[in-house]
Amino acid sequence: MSSSFSLAGTSPQITQIARAVVFGIDKGGVGKTSCSCNVAGQAAAAGYKTLIIDLDPVGAMHNDLGYDKEDGARLFDALRKGHPLPVIKDVRPNLDVVPGGAELRDLQGILFSRGQAPMEAFASLLSASLGAIAEPYDLIIIDTPPGDPWITEGALCVASALVIPARPDDGTLDAVENTAKKFMRARHFNPDLRLAGAVMFGIGGASRRIARQTRERLTESLGEAAPVFETRIRYMETAAVDSRRRGMLIHELSPAVEESVKQRFAAFKNGEAVEEDKALLATDVGNLAKEYTALTREIFARLLEIEAEVSND
């Protein structure tokens, strides 16, 4: 279900995009892009028509998905001119991408020059440009930067749900609280926005304690019960390096890792040297791939709950 509304002090109508999910938190290095890309890839592999949008001026999503890096100029021009977002079709079957890049930061100056608050103005531009292409997609994932708050808040004004990736460390809790505040500001303009949940990334021995504290901090900030997904994503540095070197998602990397291990054993058995520059670092990513599958299922289940909540309001 989508709804339209006007932002305070602006005339354009802002349309909430059904099943548009923002992945966001006020902190880098918490697995936001990894979760965004792998959930999008899992949804596409399951047959859902999926779009993933890179609103991070760093534009690093190309490493995870293996497309050519862009500077963000096409996205910048589309938003500025009110044109449909630029889409790279079929990066994977059922998976399209809107690439980001550094040029996106220049948009803030243009928004200020128009005398509008950047968050509200950006929401208006994103609503128009995304709305022009959104209809065919079953799921739209929006990856946002840890900085540039006007981007994240503007995206939340258009989205139907927020997913907060959070690492199991105490430093993440302040970022969770700041993100909750952005969520509440956006919800003032977009009352149908819901928190899908927080996902614990990079789990370790303290993950249960941090998950509990994350839920408590979110609940305190939002004034309501805050969901934390049951699925927790382990962090494997070797898998992260292999994935980005090859532009492969974790479920795609899994069979390649199995084959690499076989080749290592065969080379060792035959007394042959292994070509280290070609060999994969990881030795088993099967469980990590299963975790992303489980997380994707939880997110879809939560989106169905959100649609029912909004329909009943």
Side-chain angles (χ1 to χ4, degrees), residues 153-224:
E153 290 185 28
L156 288 172
C157 286
V158 172
S160 55
L162 167 66
V163 172
I164 301 177
R167 283 188 75 98
D169 61 71
D170 292 333
T172 299
L173 294 177
D174 287 340
V176 166
E177 184 173 356
N178 290 337
T179 304
K181 292 176 181 177
K182 285 185 173 61
F183 172 86
M184 293 305 292
R185 283 196 292 270
R187 199 172 181 184
H188 175 72
F189 300 113
N190 177 8
D192 288 338
L193 177 67
R194 296 291 187 271
L195 176 63
V199 54
M200 303 308 300
F201 180 87
I203 62 171
S207 61
R208 291 187 182 277
R209 176 176 60 85
I210 298 297
R212 185 187 69 252
Q213 291 177 345
T214 298
R215 182 183 288 107
E216 290 171 354
R217 188 71 67 91
L218 280 169
T219 299
E220 180 181 345
S221 299
L222 301 176
E224 59 186 63

Side-chain angles (χ1 to χ4, degrees), residues 54 57-63 66-72 88 99-102:
D54 188 358
V58 174
M61 190 182 290
H62 71 98
N63 291 316
Y67 59 86
D68 291 337
K69 183 178 181 178
E70 296 197 16
D71 60 6
I88 303 176

Side-chain angles (χ1 to χ4, degrees), residues 94-140:
N94 294 315
L95 180 60
D96 297 343
V97 175
V98 174
E103 293 286 331
L104 189 59
R105 284 203 174 97
D106 293 340
L107 195 60
Q108 185 175 18
I110 292 175
L111 300 179
F112 269 121
S113 70
R114 294 179 178 180
Q116 296 174 288
M119 178 269 282
E120 298 178 14
F122 181 70
S124 174
L125 298 180
L126 182 60
S127 173
S129 294
L130 175 55
I133 64 168
E135 195 275 332
Y137 295 104
D138 301 308
L139 177 67
I140 298 171

